[in-house]
Amino acid sequence: MNKIARTITAAALIALAGCATRSDLDVVQRDNEELKDRLFRMEKELGGVRTETRESIETTLKGFQTEQERERKILADLQASMDGMKVDNQVLAGKVDDIGQAVRKPADDVKLLREDLERRLAAVEERIATVEKGIEGLQKKVADTETKIQNAAVASPEGLYQKGLDTFRAGNFAAARELFTKFLEQYPKSELAANARYWNGETYYSEKKYEQAILEFQEVIKNFPGKEKVPAAMFKQAAAFQGLGDAKSARYVLKKLVEEYPASEEAKRAKEKLRELK
């Protein structure tokens, strides 16, 4: 700015002095135009700087405002947490007071409560003992009744026979044989005598005592002709011979079974067995 003023002043002085040439005036005029252009550019650049500075200031101000809002929110959350902690503290303080009062409860009350509980426990234990005795007595009565029922059942021919059959089916062949033998001794003329003799043979056969089995089955065949157990005894007798490796005797008994009891179920099985033994 000072340079421009000095140039204008110099031009005026030269004009006033009347000693300036035309070329000097042209130089002065060019300098003046150049200075004007520079002044225009400077003003334009200054305007740009002002605009940029204003935008930067506005952006920074917005950032400060955003940060301020975030800090306010954090402060509000902290305040809410502190208020909640104060409430929890008050609740805890109340509980502590309640516990303190309970601890300060007179020892006599606690003693009375303990004594009452002990009395109740003793009464319950006494009741339990009484019930246990009653259960033991009842169990004994049940056992005695079951024994009496079993003895009564065994005392009859049917009961003794059934007990022997149940024992056989349970796999206790020796005990079953004792029961069937006892049955035959006590009830030799019973309708179940043939069956008892047959099952005696089955006990030996199950133990692979084939010779004894053959003799027992022969007792059925000889002493109880016409009984339904005879065909079964003959078929099992043949199986016992086969178990001994005596195929000839087995075939003989099977052929006799087919001839004497052709309508029996055992006869059908005997025919199939004969085809296998050929």
Side-chain angles (χ1 to χ4, degrees):
M1 292 298 292
N2 292 333
K3 185 176 181 181
I4 294 172
R6 286 198 300 272
T7 302
I8 294 173
T9 302
L13 290 175
I14 292 171
L16 289 173
C19 58
T21 64
R22 181 66 183 172
S23 59
D24 292 332
L25 289 174
D26 291 339
V27 171
V28 171
Q29 187 175 2
R30 283 197 300 274
D31 291 340
N32 188 29
E33 292 296 329
E34 183 181 351
L35 289 172
K36 287 181 179 179
D37 291 338
R38 290 179 64 186
L39 179 61
F40 176 76
R41 288 196 299 273
M42 290 175 65
E43 289 177 349
K44 185 177 180 181
E45 291 175 358
L46 182 60
V49 170
R50 287 175 179 172
T51 300
E52 184 178 351
T53 302
R54 184 174 59 255
E55 292 177 352
S56 177
I57 291 172
E58 290 177 353
T59 301
T60 303
L61 182 60
K62 288 181 180 179
F64 286 155
Q65 290 175 345
T66 301
E67 183 67 20
Q68 186 180 31
E69 291 296 329
R70 188 177 70 83
E71 291 177 351
R72 286 177 179 175
K73 185 177 182 303
I74 293 173
L75 182 61
D77 292 341
L78 289 173
Q79 186 63 44
S81 298
M82 289 180 64
D83 293 340
M85 291 174 66
K86 288 179 180 179
V87 173
D88 293 340
N89 190 32
Q90 292 175 355
V91 173
L92 289 174
K95 291 183 177 180
V96 169
D97 292 340
D98 294 340
I99 293 172
Q101 292 178 3
V103 171
R104 290 191 296 270
K105 188 176 182 179
D108 291 341
D109 292 346
V110 176
K111 183 179 179 181
L112 291 174
L113 179 60
R114 183 184 297 110
E115 291 175 351
D116 182 59
L117 290 175
E118 289 177 351
R119 285 195 299 270
R120 292 184 181 183
L121 180 60
V124 170
E125 290 177 348
E126 184 177 353
R127 290 180 183 178
I128 291 174
T130 302
V131 172
E132 288 178 347
K133 289 181 180 179
I135 291 174
E136 290 177 358
L138 182 60
Q139 289 175 341
K140 188 176 183 303
K141 288 181 180 179
V142 170
D144 293 341
T145 302
E146 289 179 351
T147 301
K148 290 178 180 179
I149 292 173
Q150 292 176 358
N151 292 337
V154 173
S156 66
E158 293 79 7
L160 182 57
Y161 172 81
Q162 186 61 44
K163 186 175 181 181
L165 193 59
D166 292 340
T167 305
F168 174 82
R169 289 170 177 169
N172 193 348
F173 305 123
R177 188 160 53 245
E178 290 180 3
L179 291 169
F180 288 128
T181 300
K182 183 178 180 180
F183 176 89
L184 291 169
E185 290 174 354
Q186 294 182 3
Y187 311 104
K189 296 182 180 182
S190 170
E191 289 294 325
L192 295 172
N195 295 52
R197 181 66 69 178
Y198 171 83
W199 286 110
N200 244 358
E202 283 282 11
T203 63
Y204 285 121
Y205 184 86
S206 298
E207 294 175 339
K208 296 184 179 181
K209 297 178 180 179
Y210 298 125
E211 293 180 354
Q212 293 92 327
I214 290 171
L215 295 176
E216 287 295 326
F217 290 133
Q218 185 61 32
E219 288 293 321
V220 178
I221 297 169
K222 181 179 68 173
N223 296 321
F224 302 97
K227 292 289 186 180
E228 62 178 5
K229 278 298 181 182
V230 173
M234 294 178 72
F235 185 83
K236 263 323 196 34
Q237 189 181 56
F241 277 120
Q242 187 178 2
L244 291 174
D246 189 353
K248 182 178 179 180
S249 297
R251 283 195 297 270
Y252 172 80
V253 175
L254 291 173
K255 287 180 181 179
K256 191 174 181 181
L257 168 59
V258 173
E259 292 173 0
E260 295 183 359
Y261 301 94
S264 66
E265 185 65 28
E266 287 79 9
K268 296 178 183 178
R269 295 169 62 191
K271 291 177 182 178
E272 295 177 0
K273 199 73 173 175
L274 282 170
R275 286 194 290 269
E276 294 175 6
L277 292 174
K278 286 182 179 181

